[in-house]
Amino acid sequence: VSAAELNCVVGTQGTDDCANATANERDFCNRRGSLEWEKRDGSVASNPLQGGATFTVSPNPDACVDADAIGADDVDPITVVDNGANDDTATDGVIEVGPACLANYTITETAAPAGYALDDDTTRACTVTATALSCVVGIQGTDDCAFVTPNPTTDEQDFCNRRGSLEWEKRDGSV
């Protein structure tokens, strides 16, 4: 405040300034994060993205907002259906959930696509923090089904479904 400028205004009143580059030119902006993971067909060598799985996320990523107003979206855990309920992307095998409050989350695959078995480990841990708003399981756009590092954890891998196989032999029973 000065004699020439009696009103000190942060940002531009009535305008969303959250995207401005410098803090002195923008509103105070609270942020929330997101959760992202991939689902792959782990039964073929290329492990392509695969749609059709269902997951739960706990706690509800939106639970920190409107805590007094219980609605349909306030259940815990929430159900996430690939390309359906609570999935923010329409790409088979790519699941995004947001906005998500700062918290530790457990993502659990509850239903594999028809004809597939669930991943060997059906849960992944994911944490949204102020310094890492986007929590990503594995490496987006990369086949993590065969992810090999020293001491890998399943939290570093995509959800990979499996299918079984049939094997038999034909023998000459006359000898």
Side-chain angles (χ1 to χ4, degrees):
V1 176
S2 67
E5 185 70 42
L6 294 176
N7 293 322
C8 179
V9 178
V10 176
T12 304
Q13 297 300 302
T15 302
D16 176 4
D17 299 323
C18 288
N20 284 349
T22 64
N24 291 334
E25 298 173 355
R26 68 176 180 214
D27 302 325
F28 287 91
C29 304
N30 292 334
R31 302 166 299 143
R32 290 197 289 166
S34 63
L35 305 169
E36 301 176 28
W37 65 93
E38 291 179 338
K39 176 71 180 145
R40 294 188 174 271
D41 181 344
S43 65
V44 294
S46 63
N47 299 316
L49 290 170
Q50 178 185 42
T54 301
F55 302 86
T56 60
V57 176
S58 183
N60 181 338
D62 205 30
C64 64
V65 179
D66 300 327
D68 296 332
I70 303 299
D73 292 338
D74 292 328
V75 297
D76 186 44
I78 64 165
T79 299
V80 181
V81 179
D82 188 13
N83 295 334
N86 296 310
D87 183 6
D88 295 338
T89 182
T91 303
D92 283 349
V94 177
I95 299 91
E96 296 178 11
V97 176
C101 299
L102 305 183
N104 297 319
Y105 294 95
T106 301
I107 303 165
T108 303
E109 183 179 11
T110 58
Y116 287 82
L118 291 170
D119 190 295
D120 286 340
D121 182 352
T122 59
T123 64
R124 305 288 187 275
C126 209
T127 302
V128 176
T129 67
T131 56
L133 287 172
S134 180
C135 183
V136 178
V137 173
I139 301 168
Q140 293 296 87
T142 301
D143 171 13
D144 300 327
C145 289
F147 191 60
V148 179
T149 64
N151 306 311
T153 68
T154 55
D155 290 337
E156 299 170 341
Q157 296 176 318
D158 297 327
F159 286 90
C160 305
N161 287 142
R162 305 159 293 129
R163 288 190 290 182
S165 63
L166 300 172
E167 295 180 32
W168 60 88
E169 295 177 346
K170 172 71 175 144
R171 295 185 179 265
D172 181 351
S174 63
V175 263

